[in-house]
Amino acid sequence: MVAEQSDRHAVTLESILALLRSTRLDDRRARAMATELATTALVGLRMTTDEQRSSLLEPVVGAFARLRTDLHPLVRYGDLEVQFVEPPATGRALPGEVAHAARAIVRSAVLAFVDRGETRRVRIQWDCDGLNLLIGIRDDGRGDLTAHDDSLRPIAERVAALDGILTVSSTPGWGSSLDIRLPLDPPAEPEPLAEVVPLSPRERDVLRYVVAGERNQAIARDLGISENTVKFHVSNLLRKSGARSRAELAALAR
């Protein structure tokens, strides 16, 4: 991994030097192309670093400070005015995966706003409620953004991957807002069906066979009971669990 990164960065530096030394490009064009190449390389380096830190905890204020750094080129070299509302310093530390995703989500959202052509100001706010990272992003654009907009699809997918919630609201002529809730803890594993639903010993036996994908005939043969008895137990299991099919019953039991 280290050797691969070194090679990639060496190629980038060599390409930048070649552009700056080229006699076929004027100074302005060479600087523009070199800047674009360096920016792309820096973004790639940041993403690699984020991925390597994904298993670590990161203070919420530190994660937010890195976001400000990420967006600095847009603020410094573009026409975009960005207002940052700091999260509380006492906020809970973020799992590395959440911190990385949150920065990527905000970057994608800001670029989606800018690409629409009329955004001049963006407000970014982070907060913590102890269980979730709360992200608010608002622009002053046309106010016609919806949750089904193609530009928001990568954001929606990232939020969904973390079991989060994305809400989009827009007011024509006043801008659009994204409100995102990212849980800081993984979802609790559901308890096995046999632990939460009272089952008889025979029902537990039948349930194990259903989970294994066995049919009624095989279950009856192995347990030494009739197929009608197996059907009776399976019917009881479906009723007690609220499952609508054997497949759903098996999934609940797992």
Side-chain angles (χ1 to χ4, degrees), residues 2-12 14:
V2 174
E4 182 181 343
Q5 291 180 20
S6 297
D7 288 343
R8 187 161 56 247
H9 298 323
V11 169
T12 299
E14 291 167 0

Side-chain angles (χ1 to χ4, degrees), residues 19 26 37 65 72 77 121 136 149 157 163 173 226 230 235 241:
L19 285 171
D26 59 47
L37 189 59
H72 183 66
Y77 301 112
R121 291 188 298 276
D149 195 284
E157 291 174 352
D163 293 312
S226 70
V230 174
S235 177
S241 67

